[in-house]
Amino acid sequence: MHTASAAVADRIRSLLAALVGFDTVSDRSNLPLIGYIEDYLAAFGITGTRIVDTTGQKASLWVTIGPADKPGIVLSGHTDVVPVEGQAWTHDPFEMVERDGKLYGRGTTDMKGFIATCLAMVPEMTRAQLARPIHLAISYDEEIGCVGVRPLLDILSRASVKPLGCFVGEPTQMELAIGHKGKHGVRATFRGLACHSSIAPQGVNAIEHAATLIGEISRRAALVAREGARDALYDVPHTTLLTSTVQGGTALNIVPDACAIEFEARGLGIDESKEVTDAVTAFARETIEPVMQKANPACGIDFEEILEYPALDMPADHSWVTLAKKLSGRNRHCKVAFGTEAGLFVSMADIPAVVIGPGSIEQAHKPDEYVELSELLKCAGFIERVIAHCASADPS
Ligand SMILES: [Zn+2]
C-alpha cells in the first residue's frame, strides 16, 4: 500500500470507528451522529443543511461541496442501522473492532462504511477546484421503509438546479446495480363476531375469512411466478407476493372475532408492488367483505399500508449508467434483491440513480457484521474518480 492510500485507510478507520460508536438503530435519534459529521465538515469550512423530522429527533444532512449553482453528483447513504437485540455478537456492536483486514461493528457494511469513506475523501474534494459540485445526502429511517430521505427529496424535486445523478452506496461489493425491486406491505384486520363455538354459525369467523384472502394471495403469487413479467438479472426473476404474519384467535371454544394478516409484494416494475397489493385489497373488498357484512353489518376488513417504496429500473443505456460504468471501471451491471433509496431519487426527484457501494449485503443485518477495509479503499478509488470527473471542465 502506498503512502496516500495508507493515509486514506487511516482516515476511513477513525471515521468509521466514530460513526459505529453512535447507536443509530432506526427507533433512536441520529442527531448526535449528524452533529459529529457537521463538526467534521466544519473543519473544512463546509456547512450542511439539516432537514429535521417532525419529532425533532432525527435529521438528514444535505451537503454541497463545490459550486451550488451547477448540476452535481450525489453520494447518498443512510445513518440508521438495524437492531442488535437477540443477535449473538462476540463484542460490543457499537464499538468497531479490526481483525484480519475486516472492520467489525453494527452498520459497518450497511452502510456507515460508505459514509465514512465519503467523509474521508472530503479533503480531496475541497482541494480539487470542483467545476461541478459533489453532494452528500445523509439520511435516516431507511431500514424501516426508506422514510427519512423523502423530505430531502421533496426539497430537491423543487430545486432550480438539479443534480446530474446519484450514487446510493448500499453494499454491492462495488458492482453497479441499475435495478432493484419495489415493495408494498399491507396489514389487513378482519373484524368478525365472537360467540361460543357450540353455536358457531351465529358468529363471523375472522380467521376463516382471513384464510380465504391468504389462499387468494398464494394463488396470485403462483400465477405471477408462472405468467408474469420476467427479468433474468434478478435471482428471483419475477414479482413475488406472500402473507408474512397472521394473528388471531383466543381459545378453542370461541369463534374468533379478530384476525390480522400482513402481506407484501415485491414488484419488478416501478409501481408494480402497489398495483399487486391494491388488486388483493380490491378482491377482499369485493369478494370477502360482503359475505362478512351480510352475516353482520358491523363486520368487515380494515386495510393499512405498512410501507412502500418504488422499484429502481434504470435503462442500461441511460447516460448516468454509462458514466457510472466509466467511473467505477466496470462494463457490466446487475440488479439487486434488496430495496434502497435509489428508486425514490428517480421517482420523487427525477434524479437518475444507481446503487454502488462497498461491502457485501451478505454481512448486513447479521451479528458480527463487518466490511473489508479493501472494499472501502476500492470505494475511495471510485470517489477519487468522481472527484476528478467533477473537477474536469467536461460538461458531460
Ligand atoms: Zn442499507
Side-chain angles (χ1 to χ4, degrees), residues 78 80 109-111 142-143 170-171 338-340 361 364-365:
H78 63 82
D80 57 319
T109 195
D110 184 13
M111 56 183 296
E142 188 273 349
E143 297 290 2
E170 292 275 355
F338 56 92
T340 80
I361 198 71
H365 300 197

Side-chain angles (χ1 to χ4, degrees), residues 2 15 57 92 95 97 105 113 130 175 231 245 273 286 293 342:
H2 59 83
L15 281 159
Q57 291 308 304
D92 178 356
E95 192 175 326
V97 171
L130 298 175
E175 292 285 342
D231 185 337
T245 73
S273 309
E286 285 155 22
Q293 285 174 340

Side-chain angles (χ1 to χ4, degrees), residues 2 4 12 22 38 44 58 61 68 72 95 103 109 112 120 123 128 165 186 193 195 275-276 313 333 351 356:
H2 59 83
I12 293 173
F22 293 99
E38 285 171 332
F44 301 97
K58 294 176 191 174
L61 193 64
E95 192 175 326
L103 304 169
T109 195
K112 289 177 172 175
V186 177
L193 184 67
C195 68
E275 288 165 11
V276 168
D313 192 14
H333 57 257
I351 298 170
I356 178 167

Side-chain angles (χ1 to χ4, degrees), residues 41-53:
L41 293 171
F44 301 97
I46 300 162
T47 314
T49 305
R50 270 194 196 202
I51 298 109
V52 184
D53 81 345

